[in-house]
């Protein structure tokens, strides 16, 4: 009988040890489940934040491209204006030179006429 009792006690001890291990594993699984749910929730929040930032970046890129287009238009307008001003200056300079030459010719003719009339 003592063998049976010791066998029964050993089995009970093993069962108690197994129950303790199962309880510990169950607690561990419960903790990991809570941690997993927290990570899942944080991941969903991060995804929402990333999507919101993606929309903001898209809006900023759109604004930037619009501004770049506006700057290009302003550059073209300034180049046309500068070309017009330079053309006007060249035209005025050419007409001044031409008038100067014509005035020189007229002065020369006047001088000849004065010599002839003396």
């Amino acid at each position: 009988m003592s063998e049976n009792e010791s066998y029964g006690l050993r089995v009970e001890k093993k069962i108690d040890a197994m129950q303790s291990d199962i309880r510990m594993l169950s607690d561990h699984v419960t903790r990991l489940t809570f941690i997993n749910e927290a990570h899942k929730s944080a991941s969903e929040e991060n995804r929402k934040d990333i999507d919101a930032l993606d929309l903001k970046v898209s809006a900023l890129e759109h604004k930037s491209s619009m501004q770049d287009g506006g700057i290009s238009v302003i550059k073209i307008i300034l180049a046309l204006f500068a070309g017009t001003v330079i053309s006007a200056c060249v035209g005025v300079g050419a007409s001044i030179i031409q008038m100067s030459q014509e005035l020189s010719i007229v002065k020369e003719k006047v001088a000849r006429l004065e010599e002839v009339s003396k």
Side-chain angles (χ1 to χ4, degrees):
M1 196 91 157
S2 91
E3 254 183 53
N4 285 338
E5 279 186 33
S6 65
Y7 179 76
L9 285 175
R10 282 186 285 165
V11 169
E12 280 184 29
K13 285 181 183 180
K14 285 185 181 181
I15 290 174
D16 288 342
M18 290 174 72
Q19 283 178 341
S20 176
D21 289 344
I22 290 172
R23 191 174 304 116
M24 182 182 68
L25 288 173
S26 176
D27 291 343
H28 190 66
V29 167
T30 303
R31 267 186 271 128
L32 289 176
T33 301
F34 286 133
I35 291 171
N36 188 27
E37 288 175 1
H39 285 141
K40 196 174 187 182
S41 174
S43 174
E44 289 174 4
E45 288 179 21
N46 287 341
R47 172 58 43 208
K48 288 178 184 176
D49 291 343
I50 288 171
D51 290 342
L53 288 174
D54 189 35
L55 289 174
K56 287 180 182 179
V57 167
S58 295
L60 290 174
E61 285 176 346
H62 180 69
K63 280 183 182 178
S64 175
S65 66
M66 285 177 46
Q67 290 173 348
D68 288 344
I71 290 172
S72 296
V73 168
I74 290 172
K75 284 180 181 178
I76 290 169
I77 290 171
L78 287 176
L80 291 173
F81 180 72
T84 304
V85 168
I86 290 172
S87 300
C89 289
V90 167
V92 168
S95 65
I96 288 173
I97 291 171
Q98 185 180 0
M99 286 174 63
S100 174
Q101 288 174 347
E102 289 174 3
L103 183 62
S104 173
I105 292 171
V106 169
K107 282 183 181 180
E108 187 179 321
K109 285 182 182 180
V110 168
R112 283 185 191 165
L113 286 173
E114 284 181 354
E115 280 182 25
V116 171
S117 58
K118 286 188 183 184

